[in-house]
Amino acid sequence: MREQTISALELAAGVALFLGAVLYAFHIQTMVDGGISAAGRMTQEQHAGVITVEMTNEIRKLTYKGSEVLFTLREVQAGGFDMYVDGVRFRSGSNQEELDLSVIDTNARYDAEYVRRIDGFVESIQFVKVR
């Protein structure tokens, strides 16, 4: 009878260790999933069509071509965020046909500054022409 009790205790301890390891792995997987979701939210404004972003050598800031700035206007039209180009505001949800696009020089390069809300979503993008 004593051996059966010891075997039952060993089995119970093994099952408890196994369940603890499973719960710990589930907790780690939940944390990793949360991190991936947060990274996805932070980069959702990036678009597959913008593939020519280049880095400058001296300050390692993102610069955009004027054509990429025009491409970003589609996101503004969809109501994603506000956009400023050299101080001119393009409001979220605005009609693209009514906008004065002459302020965007397609041959120029623009520095971009992303203004984010507390939850990580982009509130506005400010493009300033690099001189």
Side-chain angles (χ1 to χ4, degrees):
M1 185 75 175
R2 183 169 188 243
E3 289 180 20
Q4 290 176 347
T5 304
I6 291 173
S7 294
L9 289 174
E10 288 175 347
L11 180 64
V15 168
L17 284 174
F18 176 75
L19 289 176
V22 168
L23 287 174
Y24 181 72
F26 178 73
H27 176 70
I28 294 295
Q29 179 62 36
T30 303
M31 289 175 37
V32 168
D33 186 46
I36 290 171
S37 297
R41 284 191 307 272
M42 291 176 65
T43 59
Q44 81 177 26
E45 77 278 356
Q46 295 177 358
H47 215 280
V50 181
I51 56 172
T52 56
V53 175
E54 298 176 8
M55 302 290 281
T56 57
N57 292 332
E58 60 276 356
I59 54 176
R60 307 294 291 170
K61 287 182 70 176
L62 287 174
T63 59
Y64 292 86
K65 294 180 181 178
S67 58
E68 293 169 331
V69 173
L70 285 171
F71 181 79
T72 307
L73 274 174
R74 291 194 325 179
E75 299 295 325
V76 171
Q77 183 182 9
F81 47 82
D82 289 348
M83 187 171 92
Y84 297 87
V85 178
D86 287 333
V88 177
R89 182 178 183 183
F90 296 96
R91 293 185 186 272
S92 174
S94 59
N95 186 358
Q96 207 166 6
E97 294 177 6
E98 298 173 0
L99 301 176
D100 179 19
L101 302 179
S102 65
V103 296
I104 302 173
D105 183 3
T106 56
N107 296 321
R109 292 226 168 255
Y110 290 88
D111 280 335
E113 180 180 336
Y114 290 84
V115 178
R116 297 184 183 275
R117 296 189 304 234
I118 259 183
D119 58 4
F121 288 105
V122 174
E123 184 175 305
S124 67
I125 302 176
Q126 299 174 355
F127 292 101
V128 178
K129 189 185 294 188
V130 177
R131 307 217 188 293

